[in-house]
Amino acid sequence: MSNVLLIYTGGTIGMKEDPVDQTLRPFDFDSLLDEVPELRKFGTSIDHVTFDPLIDSSDIEPAMWQKLAALIERKYDAYDGFVVLHGTDTMAYSASVLSYMLSNLSKPVVFTGSQLPVGRLRTDGRENLVSAVEIAGARERDGSAIVPEVCIYFNSLLIRGNRSTKVDADGFDAFRSPNLPPLAEAGIDIRYNKDIILRPSRGLLSVSSALDTRVSILKVHPGITEQVVRDTLLGEATRAVILETFGCGNAPSRDWFLDIVREAADAGKVLLNVTQCLRGTVNMDLYATGRALHRAGVLSGYDITLESALGKLFFLMGKSNDNEYVKAYVEKNLCGEISK
Ligand code: ASP
């Protein structure tokens, strides 16, 4: 029998309507278990830890990622897998950053949540939770985990955490990994896509908890002003900037824009090009506007998601104060986050 640790951080899945002001507020874990009695008869032994306070995931902070990583590290040997109940709003950010913080994983860390509280009729929470537990406990005949990755299970799809993005604010089909097929699909059975699931690490789990969040994001758009570009790229408090560009990595080619990019690169900042498109990859050699960015010192995020790029930079910058170190690693595939 597998044993799984359920970590309840908050989110809609465990919320109830406040009778006074009708807003959704978190309720305790035992009430959650009462709503999903299936969990009590599972062929998996389930323990739980509840975060205090429970939070709406819009309030997530790096300190909570550190707390989560430390908890998983402490309990790692005692469990076959972990399920993290988390609000959907920032789940893709948390699953992304945790995939970098937890290296040498040989066990599943499955994030899930729901769009409707688990106590509501027609909730998606019950199925999401039950299947996430099944996946977290799933093992091959030799006892190794089937999905030794940080991933998200939502609405019948299991996707890699650092490839995920929330695509629907109110539909059940809320998450996608646009540049990687799902790791598994749940129907009558759970069908695992073993060709793309990462192999379990033979090394020991290693947790990197230092994160440096001095990253800015500049979403380019027609009409963007010089002052906005200057403030974002050259701000003193910024070590790295994600340039969210058009199509395959293009940005305005006006002189003032490229001059600021060059000034930021010369100042040693890490400049990472991530496309605004949901699908596809940055290729700065295709158009003159992209090539100009490349020449100015901008690095390629390839087909990384914005959420994952942010987590990767937090992680790499937490590892070293030297931006040359960050630049040396940011274009590499660290844990399946880019197709390269
Ligand atoms: N605001 C909620 C949260 O992210 C939404 C959800 O869980 O779906 O915590």
Side-chain angles (χ1 to χ4, degrees), residues 43-291:
T44 302
S45 114
I46 304 167
D47 292 331
H48 72 267
V49 173
T50 302
F51 271 34
D52 184 17
L54 290 165
I55 58 154
D56 184 298
S57 78
S58 308
D59 283 323
I60 204 96
E61 292 285 344
M64 281 200 63
W65 295 329
Q66 287 155 343
K67 187 170 156 186
L68 195 52
L71 175 64
I72 292 171
E73 183 177 33
R74 255 192 340 272
K75 304 282 183 180
Y76 197 69
D77 292 336
Y79 292 93
D80 296 305
F82 300 84
V83 170
V84 181
L85 292 181
H86 191 292
T88 59
D89 287 344
T90 59
M91 193 185 291
Y93 291 90
S94 296
S96 291
V97 78
L98 261 289
S99 77
Y100 300 109
M101 294 171 79
L102 304 174
S103 6
N104 296 338
L105 261 189
S106 58
K107 300 182 178 185
V109 176
V110 188
F111 280 73
T112 197
S114 68
Q115 294 282 59
L116 274 181
V118 84
R120 288 257 183 98
L121 278 175
R122 299 180 50 249
T123 179
D124 52 333
R126 245 173 261 140
E127 197 281 318
N128 286 349
L129 178 49
V130 168
S131 296
V133 170
E134 181 170 345
I135 292 163
R139 286 183 288 165
E140 302 283 7
R141 287 214 176 127
D142 65 2
S144 62
I146 297 184
V147 192
E149 294 202 25
V150 178
C151 43
I152 290 182
Y153 180 81
F154 215 88
N155 197 41
S156 305
L157 288 184
L158 183 73
I159 57 179
R160 180 167 296 157
N162 57 33
R163 295 284 197 149
S164 65
T165 191
K166 186 174 179 183
V167 292
D168 199 327
D170 45 29
F172 288 148
D173 206 9
F175 287 91
R176 278 286 178 278
S177 62
N179 286 318
L180 188 78
L183 304 180
E185 287 181 57
I188 291 174
D189 297 313
I190 297 178
R191 290 181 305 278
Y192 293 97
N193 190 352
K194 292 190 183 171
D195 291 340
I196 53 171
I197 295 174
L198 300 176
R199 300 313 326 134
S201 166
R202 300 225 175 110
L204 289 179
L205 174 75
S206 141
V207 176
S208 310
S209 51
L211 298 170
D212 183 342
T213 60
R214 287 177 289 165
V215 180
S216 302
I217 300 171
L218 181 77
K219 184 164 189 157
V220 299
H221 57 83
I224 196 164
T225 64
E226 183 170 348
Q227 196 57 49
V228 165
V229 176
R230 185 169 289 284
D231 290 348
T232 314
L233 264 70
L234 299 174
E236 290 263 309
T238 296
R239 264 183 82 183
V241 182
I242 296 172
L243 293 161
E244 253 200 293
T245 55
F246 305 124
C248 55
N250 305 311
S253 56
R254 272 156 287 167
D255 285 345
W256 64 260
F257 186 88
L258 289 170
D259 285 345
I260 299 171
V261 171
R262 265 184 231 110
E263 203 178 324
D266 291 347
K269 306 213 186 227
V270 182
L271 305 173
L272 186 65
N273 191 339
V274 174
T275 175
Q276 294 175 15
C277 294
L278 189 57
R279 208 167 294 125
T281 184
V282 165
N283 176 355
M284 288 187 275
D285 288 327
L286 223 49
Y287 293 94
T289 47
R291 186 160 295 179

